[in-house]
Amino acid sequence: MYCQEPENTLKSLQHAISLFDGVEFDIRMTSDNQLVIHHDRRVSIENSRLQGKSEWVESWTLEDLESEGFLSFRAMLEDPIIHSNWVEKGKMGCIEIKRPHPTAPMGGGYFSRKKHNKHITNIIKIADEILDEFQVPHQNMVYYAFHKGMAESVTIAKSTRPWAALIPYISPYGNRTTQRIESFPRYLTTPFSSLVKQHNNMGSSMLPCAIEYFIAPHNKLPFGKTMGLHGKGLHNLTRIRKGMPTYIWPTKKIHEKLILDAGLTGLTDEANPQFTWLPTGD
């Protein structure tokens, strides 16, 4: 029986980039200005193993994180399976840049947008250098982040690689429940047409979008025309996005074929190679 590896590990990334058209992963900056593959703000180990160390990823050196089994961005690209698929076979790498908790080292506090922009800028600069070193083609990757100053950070970093902002914005603090409560008013007041307009105005290369914009009953909540994956909703979606590449997450099994038939890209957590038939019979 297949057992899916934990996310952001080398084995899971090897498996996904080999099986799919690409892979999405998260990067954070360590206290010694290195990049580590890590999703959560807190170091993803049991509290008993912290041994008096800070709970925040950005407080740790890369060496300390590697000793706990975490993977550096450089080590990921040094892996021949990852490198071959990403560079030679044209697979896609979606790189989500994570901001630290405001109270963490490099966090910049709750209100210092300048420091927040600088942090993301530094990550982009370091990531650009590594991607260039390993000759990852520009068209094979994209940066994105829940970061209000993404356009500014990219400009300051002088990066020419594709990027996008994640909208509606979600703060880098609180738990899943409080984040959803905070972002809900933004979701209501940010129709899909506004997402397209904002991304075009910023110069984004693609549009990352939550599945809620297209699936009932959530798709009826935002102001403006209702989007969908079939019928009138799909007509509205196609007309408004005007061919802009649109990535949707999370892609569930029951929606996968509709998403693909609509000409969209789906990001899925379903990586079981034994899963070969959709619930639709496809």
Side-chain angles (χ1 to χ4, degrees):
M1 180 180 293
Y2 172 73
C3 180
Q4 189 162 316
E5 297 288 342
E7 66 176 24
N8 282 320
T9 59
L10 181 58
K11 286 186 177 181
S12 69
L13 293 166
Q14 288 174 331
H15 171 74
I17 204 168
S18 300
L19 190 66
F20 295 110
D21 297 320
V23 65
E24 194 228 36
F25 56 92
D26 311 282
I27 60 174
R28 290 182 177 274
M29 187 160 65
T30 62
S31 64
D32 52 344
N33 298 320
Q34 303 296 316
L35 300 183
V36 66
I37 312 296
H38 199 289
H39 178 275
D40 295 348
R41 298 184 292 273
R42 293 176 169 84
V43 180
S44 299
I45 59 176
E46 296 175 358
N47 288 336
S48 60
R49 291 167 57 192
L50 285 174
Q51 298 178 339
K53 294 182 180 179
S54 171
E55 61 184 328
W56 308 121
V57 173
E58 287 77 14
S59 298
W60 291 49
T61 65
L62 178 61
E63 183 179 1
D64 286 341
L65 289 167
E66 286 180 322
S67 70
E68 292 289 347
F70 295 105
L71 177 70
S72 74
F73 185 39
R74 174 175 292 279
M76 174 187 170
L77 273 161
E78 287 174 342
D79 178 77
I81 295 176
I82 300 290
H83 189 268
S84 173
N85 277 278
W86 200 354
V87 176
E88 298 166 15
K89 297 181 181 180
K91 298 295 183 77
M92 187 71 179
C94 299
I95 307 172
E96 182 172 347
I97 301 173
K98 292 291 190 180
R99 267 185 51 198
H101 190 280
T103 64
M106 306 183 198
Y110 287 92
F111 305 109
S112 180
R113 179 165 178 169
K114 185 175 181 180
K115 291 182 179 178
H116 302 164
N117 288 350
K118 183 178 179 181
H119 182 81
I120 300 298
T121 296
N122 290 338
I123 291 179
I124 292 172
K125 285 181 178 179
I126 297 169
D128 268 5
E129 290 177 1
I130 296 174
L131 291 167
D132 289 346
E133 178 184 342
F134 287 91
Q135 300 181 324
V136 176
H138 284 49
Q139 67 268 25
N140 289 14
M141 56 75 58
V142 63
Y143 296 124
Y144 47 61
F146 285 110
H147 174 49
K148 292 180 180 178
M150 192 65 178
E152 187 174 350
S153 290
V154 171
T155 300
I156 297 172
K158 298 181 180 179
S159 178
T160 58
R161 288 184 173 271
W163 64 273
L166 291 169
I167 304 171
Y169 173 73
I170 296 178
S171 302
Y173 52 84
N175 56 36
R176 180 176 174 80
T177 300
T178 60
Q179 286 178 331
R180 290 180 73 88
I181 291 173
E182 181 191 9
S183 63
F184 187 66
R186 299 171 187 156
Y187 170 66
L188 292 179
T189 57
T190 311
F192 183 77
S193 58
S194 177
L195 287 181
V196 174
K197 184 177 181 179
Q198 288 183 58
H199 280 82
N200 279 327
N201 288 343
M202 287 189 296
S204 297
S205 62
M206 49 82 83
L207 173 61
C209 194
I211 187 70
E212 284 81 2
Y213 276 96
F214 312 103
I215 302 299
H218 307 87
N219 62 338
K220 302 181 187 304
L221 297 177
F223 300 154
K225 293 186 179 296
T226 299
M227 302 297 113
L229 298 175
H230 53 79
K232 185 177 180 180
L234 177 58
H235 173 77
N236 291 337
L237 167 62
T238 303
R239 180 178 58 83
I240 290 172
R241 78 182 182 96
K242 297 179 180 178
M244 187 172 194
T246 304
Y247 285 32
I248 298 177
W249 84 91
T251 295
K252 298 184 182 299
K253 300 174 185 177
I254 58 173
H255 303 136
E256 184 170 322
K257 189 171 190 299
L258 286 171
I259 288 172
L260 297 177
D261 287 348
L264 310 172
T265 296
L267 272 65
T268 178
D269 291 325
E270 178 56 66
N272 186 344
Q274 297 170 354
F275 168 52
T276 56
W277 291 89
L278 294 167
T280 53
D282 298 288

